[in-house]
């Protein structure tokens, strides 16, 4: 056939659709992780190669295998400045290129059957070249438009496209592209067999069928792996959160200086014992010499005095007893299962031994109250009564 050069208005179809595909393609590539410069020159560098190539194919009948090879090389050129791993990039390019040329060849075969025109003669006609490439550009525009909305697919592709499961499939994609490239030779071959378009359509559809099956299977594997990693990450975050919460609870329950429990913890435990209606006594303690030590030797010496008292006094307590610092030189002791008389006896014994064993003596005043088992008793009331009892003890000791 004579070589036909077409320069009509129909060339506006590949030009316009290529420009639109360039706009939509940038959004799709951004969703896939491509790093792109937002400048007019960067956009022109991306859109000019396919625009010129598809327009040139509308003008003259470039052999179909050459068109496909140039299209593939153009997609690879987009990766030159993109910060994307080679495995992930080749994986994405192979899938998109394979799908595009498969749909294009199926469309050529369908048009050939519909017009009863051999495929090689069909491609010599500018109308059919422009119609087929225009249809493929429209399909790619729709895919590029929808791709950023497929968040689950994009997330799995971002995180799992470089996993070991994708490498055998990547080899299969290379094979499929080579197979379709060889099949494209049939579109330009001068073969008079009428069923050649049927053979081309059937072989391409069969290949696409297996490709879709493999893709579904691969996506299932990658999605399961992604969910496992997400689950593992959530478990780690939960463990870290629980650890942080435990540390915060520990900090709020322990006095930073002395290492004994805090006022808040003592009040919580008192409320618990009141609610459970268990017998217990609460001892309110006030150190005797802290102010003098602070005035004479400084607050650092006073802090050491507090720490020493907490350590030595705590050594005399039982395991279930709750020892807490509630103020500067004030402490409380919760004695579960202990009557007021028993608690007073124990405190007097501890005070006597600590006064005799240390110099300056670790002496203190204390007041004891036993919580009643009536529902009207409150934490504040129990603390108030023991505090009053402590002041009475302090006054009696100062007078003696």
């Amino acid at each position: 056939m004579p070589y036909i050069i077409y320069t009509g208005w129909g060339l506006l179809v590949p030009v316009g659709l290529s420009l639109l595909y360039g706009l939509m393609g940038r959004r799709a590539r951004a969703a896939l992780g491509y790093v792109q410069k937002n400048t007019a020159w960067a956009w022109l560098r991306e859109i000019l190669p396919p625009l010129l190539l598809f327009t040139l194919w509308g003008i003259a009948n470039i052999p179909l295998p050459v068109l496909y090879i140039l299209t593939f090389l153009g997609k690879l050129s987009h990766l030159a400045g993109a910060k994307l791993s080679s495995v992930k990039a080749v994986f994405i390019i192979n899938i998109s290129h394979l799908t595009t040329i498969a749909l294009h060849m199926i469309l050529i075969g369908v048009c050939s059957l519909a017009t009863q025109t051999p495929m090689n003669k069909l491609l010599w006609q500018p109308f059919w070249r422009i119609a087929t490439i225009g249809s493929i550009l429209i399909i790619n525009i729709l895919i590029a438009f929808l791709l950023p909305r497929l968040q689950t697919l994009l997330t799995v592709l971002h995180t799992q496209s470089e996993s070991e499961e994708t490498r055998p499939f990547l080899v299969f994609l290379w094979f499929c592209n080579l197979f379709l490239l060889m099949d494209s030779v049939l579109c330009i071959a001068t073969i008079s067999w009428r069923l050649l378009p049927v053979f081309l359509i059937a072989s391409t559809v069969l290949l696409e069928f297996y490709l879709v099956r493999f893709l579904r299977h691969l996506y299932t594997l990658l999605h399961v792996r992604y969910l496992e990693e997400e689950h593992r990450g959530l478990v780690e975050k939960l463990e870290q959160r629980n650890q942080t919460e435990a540390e915060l609870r520990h900090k709020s329950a322990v006095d930073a200086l002395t290492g004994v429990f805090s006022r808040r913890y003592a009040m919580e435990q008192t409320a618990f014992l009141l609610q459970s209606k268990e017998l217990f006594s609460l001892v309110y303690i006030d150190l005797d010499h802290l102010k003098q030590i602070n005035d004479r030797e400084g607050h650092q010496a006073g802090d050491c005095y507090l720490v020493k008292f907490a350590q030595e006094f705590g050594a005399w307590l039982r395991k279930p007893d709750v020892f807490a610092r509630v103020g500067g030189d004030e402490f409380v002791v919760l004695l579960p299962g202990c009557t007021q008389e028993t608690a007073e006896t124990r405190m007097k014994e501890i005070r006597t031994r600590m006064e005799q064993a240390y110099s300056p003596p670790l002496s203190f005043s204390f007041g004891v109250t036993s919580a009643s088992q009536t529902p009207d008793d409150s934490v504040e009331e129990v603390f108030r009564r023991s505090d009053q009892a402590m002041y009475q003890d302090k006054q009696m000791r100062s007078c003696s």
Side-chain angles (χ1 to χ4, degrees), residues 59-319:
I59 295 172
N61 184 23
I62 301 173
L64 202 58
V66 176
L67 177 72
Y68 291 158
I69 292 173
L70 292 176
T71 304
F72 185 80
L73 293 177
K75 290 183 177 180
L76 282 178
S77 68
H78 289 159
L79 299 177
K83 296 180 181 179
L84 202 65
S85 69
S86 58
V87 175
K88 181 178 179 179
V90 173
F91 180 79
I92 295 170
I93 288 174
N94 269 294
I95 290 179
S96 62
H97 185 68
L98 178 61
T99 306
T100 299
I101 64 176
L103 290 173
H104 192 225
M105 285 198 294
I106 291 172
L107 188 59
I108 292 172
V110 170
C111 293
S112 175
L113 290 175
T115 60
Q116 295 295 310
T117 305
M119 290 184 291
N120 63 323
K121 293 182 179 181
L122 186 80
L123 293 177
W124 277 101
Q125 301 176 31
F127 171 81
W128 290 111
R129 292 200 303 272
I130 292 172
T132 54
I133 200 64
S135 301
I136 296 303
L137 282 171
I138 291 173
I139 294 173
N140 278 289
I141 290 169
L142 291 174
I143 293 174
F145 175 76
L146 294 174
L147 188 61
R149 290 163 172 77
L150 305 176
Q151 291 299 323
T152 303
L153 175 63
L154 288 173
T155 304
V156 173
L157 188 60
H158 275 310
T159 57
Q160 304 298 325
S161 58
E162 298 179 73
S163 62
E164 291 298 325
E165 289 84 350
T166 61
R167 298 184 184 276
F169 186 73
L170 190 57
V171 176
F172 174 71
L173 290 179
W174 281 111
F175 167 78
C176 292
N177 272 297
L178 291 173
F179 178 82
L180 288 181
L181 187 64
M182 290 186 291
D183 257 9
S184 66
V185 177
L186 298 177
C187 295
I188 61 174
T190 56
I191 300 175
S192 58
W193 185 32
R194 291 184 178 181
L195 295 179
L196 184 60
V198 177
F199 172 78
L200 178 70
I201 294 171
S203 62
T204 307
V205 169
L206 183 63
L207 183 65
E208 285 292 290
F209 170 76
Y210 281 111
L211 176 64
V212 171
R213 290 290 300 273
F214 278 125
L215 276 173
R216 288 185 61 185
H217 180 65
L218 178 64
Y219 176 77
T220 302
L221 292 176
L222 296 182
H223 192 246
V224 169
R225 180 170 178 173
Y226 165 73
L227 292 177
E228 290 175 350
E229 292 182 357
E230 282 288 294
H231 175 71
R232 186 160 52 249
L234 289 174
V235 169
E236 291 176 357
K237 288 181 180 179
L238 183 60
E239 290 177 351
Q240 185 177 4
R241 179 181 174 184
N242 290 338
Q243 183 178 357
T244 303
E245 290 179 352
E247 291 174 355
L248 290 174
R249 285 195 300 269
H250 177 73
K251 288 181 179 179
S252 65
V254 175
D255 177 63
L257 176 64
T258 61
V260 300
F261 290 112
S262 64
R263 178 185 183 90
R264 177 181 176 182
Y265 184 80
M267 296 186 75
E268 289 176 353
Q269 292 301 306
T270 304
F272 172 76
L273 292 172
L274 285 172
Q275 186 177 7
S276 60
K277 299 191 181 302
E278 293 185 22
L279 173 65
F280 72 95
S281 293
L282 186 139
V283 183
Y284 207 102
I285 295 173
D286 184 85
L287 295 186
D288 290 338
H289 305 293
L290 181 62
K291 185 178 185 304
Q292 292 85 343
I293 293 174
N294 283 333
D295 294 339
R296 185 175 63 251
E297 302 178 32
H299 287 279
Q300 185 174 0
D303 289 344
C304 293
Y305 183 75
L306 282 169
V307 172
K308 185 175 182 180
F309 170 78
Q311 292 174 346
E312 299 301 332
F313 185 89
W316 292 95
L317 298 177
R318 304 171 303 171
K319 189 173 182 179

